[in-house]
Amino acid sequence: MERRVNILFKDIGISNISGLTLMLAGGIKNKIMKYYKGINDAEYGFQAQVDFGDEKLLKKDIYKEVEFSFIDSINYVKTKVKTDVLDIGSLSFHGLLVSEKFYSICERFDSHQVQFVDIIGDENLKGYKFMFFNGDLTTKIDYRKTNFILCENMLDEFEVLNENLEPSRKNMINIDKEICSVDIFKQLIPKNGFSFIEGFDINKYNIFRIGHFDEHFYFSEKVVKALKAENITGITFVESVNFSPFTHC
C-alpha cells in the first residue's frame, strides 16, 4: 500500500534538509559521527568548463582513479564570481573543483579513495585542483540490516512506492539504474540509516562517497567546521540525518 510520509527535520544551523545518518558496523548505533552532503552553490552558475575534446576526462569511469597527473582542459569563466569551490557542470558528477585552501584543509583528514589532480594552463585557476571521489562503499553495506525503500520525493514530501525490496546490492543498483536514474523524483532511501558489514567502520573516514544509488559527496562534521572556520565559499553543507523519525499520515 502506498503511504505518504513526512520527514522530520533537525535544525542544526547549517541546513534543515533531510538526508541520512550513517550507522556503525553491525547496525549498532553507538556514537554516530555527523556527516554532511557537500553541494555546489547554485547561485553562481557554471564557473568553469571543460574542453569538449578531452575525452579521457569527460568519459572517466566514476570509480577508477585517473592515471594523469594534471588536467589542462579546464578553463575559468571570467564573467563568473570566483569561489573556493567552482561549479563545473556535468563534471561535478565526478567531484569538486577546489582551491588550494580547500585542498590543504581536506588533506588533514582521512578520506576514502579521494584523488586530487592539479589544474594547469589557465592562470585564473592557478592552485586549483580537481577533487575526484572514486570510492564505492556499496560493497560495505549490510543489505540484510539496511532497510531500503523506494520513494517519490516531491518538495521534501515522500511517498513510499515500495518497501519490500529484495535486500541485495545488485537489486539496489538495478533499481537505481532502471528507475531512479530516469526519474529524478524517485529515490532509494535507507529508512533507518545505513548499516555496514561487520568489521567495517565508516567513522574512520571524514570524506567519502557511498556510490551508485547515493552519489553525494560526504564530509564529516570535523571537516565542515574546519572549512567553515576558513570561510570557504562556493559550497553548501547539508546534514545527513537518519530517516527513522517518520511521521505517518
Side-chain angles (χ1 to χ4, degrees):
M1 178 182 297
E2 293 185 356
R3 336 185 242 118
R4 192 167 293 278
V5 295
N6 294 321
I7 304 299
L8 295 179
F9 300 118
K10 181 180 180 182
D11 187 358
I12 59 163
I14 295 179
S15 176
N16 56 357
I17 301 176
S18 61
L20 59 93
T21 291
L22 301 171
M23 299 172 67
L24 297 177
I28 301 175
K29 291 186 180 180
N30 294 319
K31 184 177 180 180
I32 301 173
M33 185 184 295
K34 289 183 180 179
Y35 289 101
Y36 299 81
K37 292 180 285 187
I39 304 170
N40 284 103
D41 280 343
E43 64 177 293
Y44 299 109
F46 295 159
Q47 299 157 287
Q49 57 190 13
V50 184
D51 294 340
F52 289 116
D54 193 349
E55 292 191 2
K56 73 179 184 299
L57 181 60
L58 293 172
K59 295 184 178 181
K60 174 191 178 298
D61 185 320
I62 190 173
Y63 301 113
K64 290 185 178 180
E65 289 193 1
V66 297
E67 297 179 353
F68 41 87
S69 59
F70 63 84
I71 300 172
D72 60 3
S73 59
I74 294 179
N75 299 291
Y76 172 63
V77 179
K78 296 179 181 179
T79 58
K80 299 294 185 177
V81 176
K82 186 184 290 187
T83 52
D84 289 295
V85 180
L86 300 175
D87 194 331
I88 194 171
S90 60
L91 197 61
S92 296
F93 178 73
H94 291 280
L96 301 169
L97 181 57
V98 303
S99 67
E100 187 172 4
K101 181 168 68 171
F102 189 102
Y103 161 75
S104 64
I105 295 170
C106 290
E107 277 289 276
R108 298 177 352 219
F109 299 92
D110 292 331
S111 62
H112 180 261
Q113 295 182 11
V114 171
Q115 180 183 17
F116 291 93
V117 178
D118 292 333
I119 306 297
I120 68 169
D122 189 335
E123 283 298 311
N124 292 292
L125 296 178
K126 186 176 181 179
Y128 277 77
K129 300 176 185 291
F130 198 87
M131 182 181 187
F132 288 101
F133 286 73
N134 301 316
D136 179 4
L137 289 175
T138 60
T139 59
K140 303 298 184 181
I141 294 174
D142 187 328
Y143 291 90
R144 293 289 176 182
K145 294 180 180 179
T146 302
N147 183 14
F148 280 99
I149 58 177
L150 179 64
C151 294
E152 184 171 54
N153 179 3
M154 300 295 289
L155 300 176
D156 287 328
E157 189 174 78
F158 288 74
E159 182 176 348
V160 178
L161 304 178
N162 191 338
E163 56 184 337
N164 296 302
L165 305 174
E166 177 191 340
S168 69
R169 177 177 181 269
K170 180 179 179 180
N171 188 44
M172 296 306 118
I173 291 177
N174 285 340
I175 290 174
D176 178 69
K177 182 179 180 179
E178 297 173 6
I179 299 177
C180 302
S181 65
V182 297
D183 186 342
I184 61 173
F185 298 108
K186 301 290 194 309
Q187 296 181 10
L188 274 173
I189 294 174
K191 182 177 178 181
N192 301 308
F194 285 127
S195 291
F196 292 93
I197 59 176
E198 185 176 355
F200 178 78
D201 182 6
I202 189 65
N203 284 331
K204 69 181 181 179
Y205 297 120
N206 287 280
I207 307 171
F208 60 88
R209 187 212 296 261
I210 294 293
H212 294 285
F213 41 80
D214 184 352
E215 292 173 339
H216 292 104
F217 311 133
Y218 286 103
F219 297 82
S220 73
E221 183 177 24
K222 291 186 291 185
V223 179
V224 171
K225 285 182 176 179
L227 292 169
K228 288 172 69 68
E230 294 297 326
N231 299 310
I232 291 295
T233 58
I235 189 169
T236 298
F237 293 104
V238 180
E239 185 185 7
S240 296
V241 298
N242 197 303
F243 278 89
S244 59
F246 275 4
T247 299
H248 299 271
C249 297

